């Protein structure tokens, strides 16, 4: 398993867009992204640096492995 990279909320969103997600809406600093096939929805805080636990939860909810996410970043 790869080590989690240190990424911002915007970098995380760009990686998720490569995985088929699209931004649905934003409320304050939280951006909601959704993928239809297979369905997944994640909330990404638009912060300078995401905490490791938050990033790991986003990756898990997106249905990706850490290695797949690192390849997309």
């Amino acid at each position: 398993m790869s080590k989690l990279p240190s990424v911002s909320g915007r970098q995380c969103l760009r990686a998720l867009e490569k995985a088929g997600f699209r931004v649905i809406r934003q409320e304050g600093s939280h951006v909601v992204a959704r993928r239809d096939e297979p369905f997944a929805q994640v909330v990404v805080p638009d912060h300078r640096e995401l905490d490791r636990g938050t990033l790991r939860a986003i990756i898990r909810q997106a249905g990706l492995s850490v290695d797949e996410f690192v390849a997309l970043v």
Side-chain angles (χ1 to χ4, degrees), residues 1-66:
M1 179 153 98
S2 294
K3 185 177 178 187
L4 277 175
S6 175
V7 297
S8 69
R10 298 211 182 228
Q11 290 171 318
C12 180
L13 281 170
R14 279 195 297 270
L16 290 174
E17 285 175 353
K18 291 178 188 175
F21 284 82
R22 66 184 192 284
V23 173
I24 298 297
R25 67 182 180 274
Q26 179 173 355
E27 240 181 85
S29 66
H30 290 77
V31 181
V32 177
R34 180 183 292 166
R35 177 181 63 199
D36 291 330
E37 282 300 320
F39 181 80
Q41 181 169 305
V42 295
V43 178
V44 179
D46 188 15
H47 297 164
R48 282 190 181 165
E49 185 176 341
L50 296 178
D51 289 337
R52 284 184 309 219
T54 303
L55 181 58
R56 193 171 294 280
I58 290 169
I59 293 170
R60 187 178 327 112
Q61 290 170 8
L64 301 171
S65 70
V66 174

